Every structure is written in C-alpha cells, then in structure tokens.
Amino acid sequence: MPRPDGDPPRRFAALRNRDCRPYLFGAGLAMMADNIEHVITYWVLWEKFHSPALAGFEVISHWVPFLVLSMWFGSLADRFDCRRVIQCAQALFMAVSVAWGVLFLTDSLQMWEACLLLVLHGLAGALWAPGEQLMLHDFVGAAELPSAIQLNATFRSLGILFGPVVGSALLLGLGPVAGIFVNVAFYLPLTLFLFRTRFTGHTRDSHAQPRVGALESLRVLREVAANRTLVSMIVLAGLGSFFVGASMQAAMPIFANGFGDEGAGAAYGVLLFATGAGGVLGGLLLEATGWVRPNVPAAVVSTVLYGLASLYFALTASYPVAIVLLLVGGMANLASMAISQTVVQLQAPAADRGRVIGAYGMSANGLRAGSGFTVGLLGAAIGVHASLALSAGALSLGALAAGFFALRRRPAG
C-alpha cells in the first residue's frame, strides 16, 4: 500500500519505527516463552500422568478460548487501553508459569490443577491477540500496517521456531522447576515496554468508547456479514485452521517415520525446523521484496499455495522434496495469514476494529481445534497421509471459492 506522500512503502518499515520495533522484539520473546512453557509442561505432564486424554486436552485448552472468547476480548481491546489489556495477558502467562513451578517444586501437581492451568494459559493467549493488532495499527498507521503485521508474524514465527530449542535446553540443563521459573523472564520485556510507550491502541482514531456485550458483538457480526471482503478473509483464515491447522505438527512423527526408521528422530527435528523456518523466511521475503500487496487475490493465491504444498507433502516419498515443500508451505501460510489480517484491519471500522479482529481470530485460531478431527480422527480411519492430502485439497478448493465470493460482482439493482 503506498504511503500518504505517494512514495512506495519502505522496506522493513515497522523495524524503522522506534515505537513498534521494541514491541516486535518483546512479542517475539513472549511467543518464545509461550512455546518454552509447552515444552516443559507437556514433558512433565506426560511423565507424571501418562494420559493420552490429557495430551489431547492440551491442544483443546490452547485453542478453544480463541473460538469462544475472541469477540469479547476484542470488545475489551476496543473499549480499554490496549497496553493494559496486553499486560493483563502477560501477567496471566507469568502467573501460570509460576504456578507450574511451585507445583513442580512441591511435587503436588494433580490432574485438575494441570487442566486449570492449561485453560488459563489458553485464555492469556486469546486475551493478548486483539489488543496486539490494535497496537500495531496505532504504532505505524494504515500506510505501513502491512509491514507491522508481516514483521509481527515473522517475529512470532521466530519465537515458535526457537521456543522448543530453548525449552529443551532449559529442561535438560536446569530441570523443569528452574526452567519454568527462568521462563517468566522472557515475558518481562514486552510487559515493561508497555509502561513506556505512549500508544494505547486508540491514539490515531477518535471515536466513542463502545459498550462491551453480546448485543454489540452481534451487531458487529451483522456488519461484517455485509462486507464480502471481510467475510472472505475470515473464511480463508478459518479454512487453513480447520483443514490443516495445528494437526500437521502433531502428525509429524508419523511422516518422519515414513522416511526411514533409522533416521526418524533426526528427520522429525529437521521437518519441524523446516516448517518454522518457512514462516520466518516468508516474512523476510515479503518485507525485503515488497512484491506482494495486501489484497484478496494475494491472500487467495497464498492460501491455495499453502494447501497444494501440504497436499504434495502428504503424498511425497522423497525426504528432500518434503523439506522443500514444508519450507514453501511455511512461507505461503505466513503470507496468507499476514495478508488476510492486514486486509481485515484496513477494512474494519475504527470503532469496531477490535471486535472485527476478534471475529478473525475466532476463525484463524479457534478453528485450529477442528484440525484434530479433519486430519487426526480421519487419519485414524484412512491413514494420516491420505487424510492430510484430502484436507489440504479441501483447503485449496475452499480458498478458491472464498476468492470467487469476494471478487464476483453483486447483481445490479
């Protein structure tokens, strides 16, 4: 998108912004801390309870809060100072980590306590999401918003990429108790920065504070439903989450075993790294080249490419080809999310931006719980390779349909 003075958008514009830059680094560290906590707690929970049901609940508890509460959390971001909303989310993250540490230290962890902490961790992530997007818009404005969203997604991908590495190092080097307490420190930079910045998520917009409630959320949903572009972007995000989502990572050990039993462990690590590295590389390429503009066709093409890369990954028997496909899929997935998120922000009314972003997050994140059915349960019946291929094909076809819906002209009269 061009800048107001007519010049082309600056490369890495959000990193040049002295207010946005520390937020991006802080968000990356907080996302890394989120993933470190998963590494440590999931290991301890399996060692203590050996419960497949609890392992399934770990995924459900992380994503269902996005599905159920994103619109309401978006209302909070619309009405209140987003700095404080995000700090509440970060404080909840830290409190959960401290609670894990105390329970690990005293060896008193019970199943119900684990379930409660897992839910609270999921709530913290859902609370953070809408306020984060409003802060990005406030930092840079509409002209450089694509850069802020792309780089924020890139830094989050870096956190997801390095979280398991750092988490494993803490687990092996310090043990779960010290490791989970150390993890609290990674949430602090973002929390402290928000005391220093003057931006609130609303300084560029002048509008009355909306009410928080179910009726207001329903009004926003009706208005969103009348906007074909918003509907298509929300649907695109939901398709990727529902049909592929988080299930590919959970099924990766199965794919790694398919490339040879002797090197299955190494293959597993490389495949996971390729998935994360693709997201980072995609974000850097989007910023460095500036070739892709935030519009409906770009979002559709990147989503279709993500679906096709996932489909061919499911079917290939070649280990090198699988790595390349994961890199391409990671790049396309980041592009799809960043572009659709940008379009949603630019189209959303200022007074309702948080709730519109909440609706987007409800689809983009909350529906990830459904990928356990489309790939996981279906995979138990017909095999994971076939289920992922079918799901990825459905994603590509659904993306084309969403694009057609957004771009076809309404009948005259």
Side-chain angles (χ1 to χ4, degrees):
M1 181 174 179
R3 294 164 64 195
D5 56 10
D7 293 335
R10 298 183 297 173
R11 302 292 182 263
F12 298 96
L15 278 179
R16 302 170 187 265
N17 184 301
R18 65 179 184 178
D19 299 296
C20 190
R21 182 170 57 247
Y23 182 89
L24 294 174
F25 281 99
L29 287 173
M31 180 55 61
M32 186 178 74
D34 183 341
N35 284 269
I36 289 171
E37 182 170 319
H38 290 326
V39 170
I40 295 175
T41 57
Y42 291 1
W43 175 264
V44 173
L45 291 178
W46 179 255
E47 287 291 298
K48 186 173 182 64
F49 298 110
H50 291 284
S51 171
L54 182 59
F57 184 76
E58 291 164 0
V59 177
I60 294 170
S61 63
H62 190 77
W63 297 116
V64 167
F66 287 90
L67 182 64
V68 177
L69 294 171
S70 284
M71 283 286 289
W72 189 67
F73 288 153
S75 298
L76 296 181
D78 276 333
R79 182 170 178 81
F80 300 109
D81 187 332
C82 292
R83 296 174 299 179
R84 307 301 170 241
V85 174
I86 296 172
Q87 284 174 326
C88 287
Q90 297 300 305
L92 185 54
F93 275 129
M94 289 186 277
V96 169
S97 285
V98 170
W100 284 121
V102 171
L103 292 170
F104 294 166
L105 179 64
T106 57
D107 193 25
S108 59
L109 179 64
Q110 299 181 45
M111 181 78 78
W112 71 268
E113 293 169 328
C115 291
L116 175 61
L117 291 177
L118 289 168
V119 170
L120 290 176
H121 182 96
L123 288 172
L127 177 61
W128 178 16
E132 173 179 59
Q133 294 301 319
L134 265 65
M135 288 296 292
L136 293 175
H137 192 282
D138 208 19
F139 285 137
V140 301
E144 295 182 342
L145 181 63
S147 175
I149 291 178
Q150 287 165 184
L151 285 172
N152 185 60
T154 303
F155 274 84
R156 279 177 159 262
S157 295
L158 280 169
I160 294 170
L161 183 63
F162 287 105
V165 176
V166 178
S168 297
L170 290 174
L171 185 63
L172 295 174
L174 300 178
V177 175
I180 200 70
F181 281 129
V182 168
N183 188 50
V184 174
F186 293 116
Y187 291 111
L188 290 175
L190 177 59
T191 305
L192 296 176
F193 164 73
L194 291 170
F195 283 115
R196 294 173 37 230
T197 183
R198 66 182 178 84
F199 291 94
T200 66
H202 306 291
T203 58
R204 292 180 184 270
D205 301 315
S206 178
H207 56 77
Q209 288 186 328
R211 287 181 289 182
V212 177
L215 292 179
E216 278 293 296
S217 295
L218 288 174
R219 176 188 62 78
V220 172
L221 284 176
R222 285 196 297 268
E223 293 178 1
V224 166
N227 186 316
R228 286 176 176 267
T229 300
L230 286 178
V231 169
S232 66
M233 294 300 96
I234 292 171
V235 168
L236 272 183
L239 289 170
S241 296
F242 183 78
F243 283 112
V244 179
S247 62
M248 185 182 290
Q249 183 177 5
M252 202 64 77
I254 299 172
F255 291 104
N257 279 314
F259 295 117
D261 293 335
E262 293 184 3
Y268 176 56
V270 171
L271 293 176
L272 285 179
F273 185 84
T275 303
V280 175
L281 183 59
L284 294 176
L285 285 175
L286 284 175
E287 277 297 298
T289 62
W291 291 338
V292 181
R293 294 290 182 262
N295 53 43
V296 172
V300 171
V301 169
S302 57
T303 306
V304 171
L305 182 58
Y306 174 48
L308 292 176
S310 301
L311 188 155
Y312 285 110
F313 169 76
L315 299 178
T316 186
S318 169
Y319 182 45
V321 171
I323 294 173
V324 172
L325 289 170
L326 286 175
L327 286 169
V328 172
M331 290 188 286
N333 186 35
L334 183 134
S336 172
M337 292 188 298
I339 294 168
S340 59
Q341 179 82 73
T342 302
V343 173
V344 166
Q345 282 227 46
L346 293 176
Q347 291 269 335
D352 298 324
R353 186 174 290 122
R355 276 163 291 190
V356 174
I357 291 171
Y360 177 89
M362 183 171 59
S363 179
N365 295 309
L367 290 181
R368 287 176 180 266
S371 63
F373 296 94
T374 55
V375 176
L377 294 182
L378 183 60
I382 65 174
V384 170
H385 290 78
S387 66
L388 178 58
L390 288 173
S391 296
L395 167 59
S396 297
L397 293 175
L400 291 173
F404 176 77
F405 170 79
L407 296 174
R408 73 183 178 94
R409 295 184 177 181
R410 294 179 181 272

